[in-house]
Amino acid sequence: MFWTPWLAALAPLALMLAALWPAPRRAPLAFADWAFGAALVALCVSVGAAAAVAFGGVQTTQTFGAAGLGVSVYLDAVSAVMLVLVSFVGATVLRYSRNYLDGDPNQGRFLRQLCFTIAAVQALIIAGNFAALIAAFVVMSVALNRLLLFYGERRGAVLAARKKFVASRLADLALIGAGACLYLAFGSLDYAALFAEARAAAPAASGPLALGAALLIAIAALLKSAQLPFHGWILEVMETPTPVSALLHAGIINAGGFLIIRFAELMALSPPALHVLAIVGLVTALFGSLVMLTQTSVKLSLAYSTVAQMGFMLLQCGLGAFGAALLHIVAHSLYKAHAFLSSGSVIDVLRSSWAPSPGGAPHPARFVIALVLVLVAALAVSTAFGATLAEKPGVFVLGAILMMSLTLLVANGVDERPSVYVIGRTLASALGLGALYFGLQAGVEHVLGGSVPTTRPLMSAFDVALVSFVIAAFGGVTLLQSQLGRVAATRWGQALYVHLSHGLYLNTIANRLALRLWPARARGLKGDAYAR
């Protein structure tokens, strides 16, 4: 066979060579074309790797190292999907950067750093040894830090970079601790050996060292994914060029979710680690969803949306729906990359698509009826696809939450235009969305082909309580969103709006603490007015 897993290493290698190539100051556009060409090579290699996995199954290499520590390549459905996704987003961002930074004297330096960062993410994805994974995480973090400081004269950029640096170093320490636990438990850090032990339900896979490693991996993923209370840095990266924001929100921020999905075999054997992911992810998702509704800045609203989406994705992992989490990563990456790269024209889009509402907010009682109808429809569709609440609680819950987004449409059909045609059409839309979602879930499970456990049945009373609370919490958020007009007319609603618009002041407190411990002085500026 012409394909060997080592060929996948050509993807990060092509971009690494572009990053090391000297960028002539007199021909920055020529270097931009060269960098984009390297990204296209990486994309073609990624597609080839995905095809090899599709036709030949899991692709692995021997480890270059000793005693189970070293560098190797591990390609399965998860890494193939993520490699194609990151390569596609990276090529798009590099192509966008060609015109976006045209005329900037530092365009060459920016493109080199961008290529280096994308290469680090690709190396992280194809790594087949936990030691190589940790090294790739560190390199990716350092490369991202340099991008965040591209405009080092801006104190906001310095503050964001330093907060991200602290969160990343804590995550790296958690990963090193997890690696030590795994090595003591299994005697190797090769993925193939770790996953084989986990699938065989070996005693070491459910022992205290493996459980401790799972908890540390969960902590590292929470830190990498900007979860509460370490979310503040992602709100302040708007001081960087737009391509960096697009790459960060569409690619790099997903590294935490990829980490959990990559080690889903081990995570599924540690209910405490899954519960930590579910609880923190749920709280962060609710927080980000509510704060996002109060933001007037387009990019800040997108940032809070990313916080909420990452919380939602880790909630999926905590409920055992690893396949749904992978689908969420793909959908969120494509959406968020487009949202940031087109953020300059979003106002024109909204103006052209705005239409006046014939009524007002639906009556609360009728809205609750519509919400119940949507949940019943979700139950019916999920049962038809075999995703029952007992067997696949994570898939069902997330499908129900997705269908709740159409509750306002159903309620308006009942409340504002009460006709059989409108009501039938809106209910059909809800059922169609549910069928599409659960159909995609079935497709993802088929694509993964057993690479990771795609679901986890209800195991305990705590799982039942957690699932019930998740549905109730998002149902309450959906109801609140439909009644924003009425809530805003009350004094407590106005006070709540002010507090939420400031993110409950969590980031303000974090900034004050950060500036006291590590004052942010911008490059080339005197004084420390930002700290004051």
Side-chain angles (χ1 to χ4, degrees):
M1 186 177 180
F2 75 96
W3 177 265
T4 174
W6 284 115
L7 288 177
L10 292 177
L13 181 61
L15 286 165
M16 191 69 68
L17 290 176
L20 296 176
W21 195 268
R25 287 184 173 271
R26 295 183 179 180
L29 293 182
F31 179 76
D33 293 335
W34 168 256
F36 179 64
L40 289 181
V41 171
L43 179 58
C44 292
V45 171
S46 302
V47 173
V53 171
F55 291 103
V58 178
Q59 310 279 315
T60 61
T61 67
Q62 293 181 344
T63 300
F64 276 87
L69 302 174
V71 177
S72 63
V73 174
Y74 187 91
L75 290 175
D76 63 351
V78 174
S79 53
V81 170
M82 290 297 298
L83 185 61
V84 172
L85 175 65
V86 169
S87 298
F88 175 75
V89 172
T92 303
V93 170
L94 280 169
R95 181 64 183 86
Y96 182 89
S97 302
R98 181 187 187 277
N99 297 329
Y100 181 84
L101 287 173
D102 186 18
D104 192 305
N106 294 315
Q107 183 182 20
R109 175 170 63 89
F110 175 83
L111 291 173
R112 286 200 305 271
Q113 294 172 356
L114 198 60
C115 289
F116 193 80
T117 305
I118 298 171
V121 178
Q122 292 173 335
L124 167 71
I125 291 171
I126 65 174
N129 189 281
F130 202 88
L133 176 82
I134 296 174
F137 260 119
V138 173
V139 173
M140 181 187 71
S141 174
V142 173
L144 177 61
N145 188 268
R146 293 179 65 85
L147 284 175
L148 295 180
L149 290 173
F150 182 71
Y151 294 127
E153 68 277 6
R154 301 179 181 179
R155 288 194 173 91
V158 175
L159 180 61
R162 290 184 174 178
K163 289 164 65 176
K164 175 65 173 68
F165 179 86
V166 172
S168 295
R169 297 295 75 75
L170 292 175
D172 293 339
L173 289 176
L175 284 176
I176 293 173
C181 290
L182 290 175
Y183 191 79
L184 292 175
F186 300 102
S188 174
L189 291 184
D190 271 333
Y191 289 178
L194 297 178
F195 299 158
E197 292 286 330
R199 288 167 185 158
S206 56
L209 286 174
L211 296 180
L215 280 172
L216 289 172
I217 290 174
I219 292 172
L222 294 172
L223 289 167
K224 294 288 186 181
S225 301
Q227 299 295 282
L228 289 176
F230 297 95
H231 68 290
W233 64 268
I234 202 171
L235 307 177
E236 296 165 340
V237 298
M238 308 309 170
E239 297 289 346
T240 63
T242 296
V244 178
S245 299
L247 180 64
L248 172 61
H249 288 261
I252 297 176
I253 195 66
N254 294 317
F258 170 76
L259 178 65
I260 299 298
I261 298 171
R262 176 72 287 161
F263 294 96
E265 301 281 359
L266 293 172
M267 301 300 295
L269 300 177
S270 177
L274 294 181
H275 292 159
V276 169
L277 288 172
I279 293 172
V280 177
L282 172 61
V283 174
T284 304
L286 293 173
F287 168 80
S289 300
L290 291 173
V291 175
M292 179 187 68
L293 297 175
T294 64
Q295 301 304 307
T296 57
S297 168
V298 173
K299 287 191 174 182
L300 193 57
S301 178
L302 288 174
Y304 273 109
S305 170
T306 298
V307 172
Q309 293 292 338
M310 290 301 100
F312 195 66
M313 183 264 299
L314 291 177
L315 170 62
Q316 292 172 314
C317 293
L319 294 176
F322 300 106
L326 181 63
L327 178 61
H328 191 156
I329 286 177
V330 174
H332 175 261
S333 294
L334 298 177
Y335 152 72
K336 197 54 64 74
H338 176 268
F340 268 99
L341 296 181
S342 62
S343 58
S345 58
V346 68
I347 302 300
D348 295 332
V349 173
L350 290 176
R351 284 175 178 173
S352 62
S353 62
W354 180 83
S357 174
H363 190 277
R366 284 188 284 273
F367 187 87
V368 171
I369 293 174
L371 185 60
V372 172
L373 289 175
V374 169
L375 290 176
V376 171
L379 182 62
V381 177
S382 65
T383 302
F385 280 86
T388 61
L389 181 59
E391 294 298 323
K392 298 182 178 180
V395 175
F396 168 78
V397 167
L398 304 168
I401 294 172
L402 177 64
M403 293 180 68
M404 283 182 196
S405 62
L406 286 182
T407 304
L408 186 60
L409 176 65
V410 176
N412 284 336
V414 175
D415 206 45
E416 297 179 351
R417 301 185 182 97
S419 67
V420 175
Y421 170 75
V422 173
I423 294 174
R425 184 176 178 179
T426 52
L427 288 176
S429 299
L431 291 173
L433 178 63
L436 176 62
Y437 168 78
F438 289 108
L440 286 174
Q441 293 301 318
V444 169
E445 292 182 11
H446 176 72
V447 169
L448 292 179
S451 297
V452 298
T454 54
T455 187
R456 173 175 173 268
L458 294 176
M459 304 291 290
S460 63
F462 183 85
D463 291 338
V464 176
L466 180 61
V467 167
S468 302
F469 182 77
V470 170
I471 295 176
F474 279 96
V477 171
T478 305
L479 178 60
L480 175 63
Q481 186 176 4
S482 71
Q483 303 299 316
L484 283 179
R486 293 189 176 96
V487 171
T490 63
R491 293 186 61 183
W492 69 269
Q494 295 171 1
L496 178 63
Y497 180 89
V498 171
H499 297 320
L500 287 176
S501 65
H502 289 84
L504 301 181
Y505 311 102
L506 295 178
N507 193 41
T508 302
I509 296 173
N511 283 345
R512 290 180 177 178
L513 179 61
L515 288 171
R516 286 183 179 180
L517 298 177
W518 194 355
R521 294 182 180 274
R523 183 174 62 221
L525 294 180
K526 297 180 179 180
D528 200 11
Y530 190 87
R532 295 194 294 269

